[in-house]
Amino acid sequence: MTPLLEAHHLRKTFGSIVAVDDVSLEVARGEVVCLIGRSGSGKSTVLRCLNHLDPPDEGWVAVEGEVLGYRRRAGRLRQLPPRAVARQRRQIGMVFQQFNLFPYLTATENVIEAPVGVLRHKRAEEIENAHRLLERVGLGHRIDAYPGQLSGGEQQRVAIARALAMQPKVMLFDEPTSALDPELVREVLEVMQKLAEDGMTMVVVTHEMRFAREVGSRVIYLDSGRIVEQGSAEEVLGSPREERTQRFLSRML
């Protein structure tokens, strides 16, 4: 069976710095893969390569067998124009550390911005959908609030609803709770757990080991841009084989 999301020998450099080095992974439909590792280990860059925000220097990424950014012809990959790449990337939702909401738009307006402005969907239909999504993330009572009237946790939940509005096949989360006060972390993680229970395919960069243990189907530990160890949450977090993984977890757990 073709993986929903597949990365093949990714390599990404920034000048002389190798941020991602020969990373390959497959994510099955409905799977929740958690990427863990110390700061600067390449986790966020891997995520940005997966949705082509940072196109890899080497290797490729595919969603349901369709390679992002390229078209296969005569056994070779040929680069697609930016507009075609943007269409492909709609299959992948992305939630960042910072919420990046438009401050002058309400929660509802933030959610409908892309479906109406990019996909040209009918505004009235998308407003109804936005209200359903905001209810889904626990913000049915905040549909008309502006970002400045929302807590950090509420803003991040609006950002999740905004990503879901594009009906992605897979959701990527880049340390979505790192900018939140501790008391607000749980409300975001609970929304993510509910998405996982509903069958959403997810790749999550996180330092929340409890979330990785309880929700993750698989955990991948990265160091220096490479995959050091991967397996079930119980295997990697409970009985890590590699010394580097053991040292990292001894500081985190």
Side-chain angles (χ1 to χ4, degrees), residues 23-244:
V23 167
S24 295
L25 59 88
E26 295 182 353
V27 183
R29 188 179 304 277
E31 192 174 16
V32 178
V33 175
C34 294
L35 306 183
I36 66 172
R38 60 185 177 84
S39 297
S41 61
K43 307 183 301 296
S44 294
T45 305
V46 168
L47 219 62
R48 293 175 67 87
C49 287
L50 289 180
N51 77 344
H52 226 68
L53 278 176
D54 283 332
D57 300 321
E58 298 177 17
W60 48 264
V61 175
V63 177
E64 293 186 326
E66 180 185 5
V67 178
L68 296 185
Y70 301 91
R71 178 179 291 112
R72 284 194 178 104
R73 278 187 181 171
R76 300 182 63 184
L77 293 178
R78 301 185 181 276
Q79 194 165 5
L80 291 173
R83 183 169 293 183
V85 177
R87 284 197 297 269
Q88 288 182 319
R89 284 174 51 206
R90 295 172 191 167
Q91 304 173 87
I92 304 175
M94 183 87 171
V95 178
F96 299 90
Q97 296 177 28
Q98 302 298 328
F99 325 123
N100 300 322
L101 300 179
F102 294 109
Y104 51 86
L105 299 180
T106 66
T108 298
E109 291 166 339
N110 266 283
V111 173
I112 71 171
E113 177 71 13
V116 173
V118 176
L119 301 183
R120 305 300 181 188
H121 290 177
K122 293 181 179 179
R123 182 180 177 85
E125 293 177 359
E126 286 303 329
I127 288 175
E128 289 185 12
N129 187 49
H131 290 171
R132 285 193 295 270
L133 289 172
L134 289 169
E135 183 70 36
R136 185 178 180 185
V137 299
L139 293 174
H141 62 301
R142 303 292 268 158
I143 59 175
D144 294 322
Y146 288 89
Q149 299 170 318
L150 300 173
S151 70
E154 289 173 330
Q155 290 185 60
Q156 190 63 292
R157 285 185 280 159
V158 173
I160 293 172
R162 178 180 59 185
L164 292 172
M166 296 296 281
Q167 299 182 334
K169 295 176 179 177
V170 58
M171 287 279 286
L172 309 180
F173 293 85
D174 187 7
E175 297 193 49
T177 61
S178 65
L180 301 179
D181 293 332
E183 65 270 18
L184 301 177
V185 168
R186 176 177 292 184
E187 62 190 48
V188 173
L189 294 180
E190 287 176 349
V191 168
M192 294 170 61
Q193 182 168 357
K194 183 62 166 62
L195 290 177
E197 291 169 355
D198 290 343
M200 174 60 72
T201 307
M202 299 160 61
V203 181
V204 184
V205 170
T206 184
H207 287 296
E208 300 290 339
M209 295 300 110
R210 182 174 179 180
F211 175 87
R213 184 186 294 274
E214 294 179 356
V215 182
S217 317
R218 186 154 44 98
V219 174
I220 297 176
Y221 174 68
L222 290 101
D223 189 33
S224 301
R226 298 181 67 91
I227 293 177
V228 174
E229 185 168 356
Q230 64 177 309
S232 69
E234 182 179 353
E235 290 169 341
V236 175
L237 301 180
S239 303
R241 299 184 305 273
E242 300 295 329
E243 183 179 349
R244 280 182 287 177

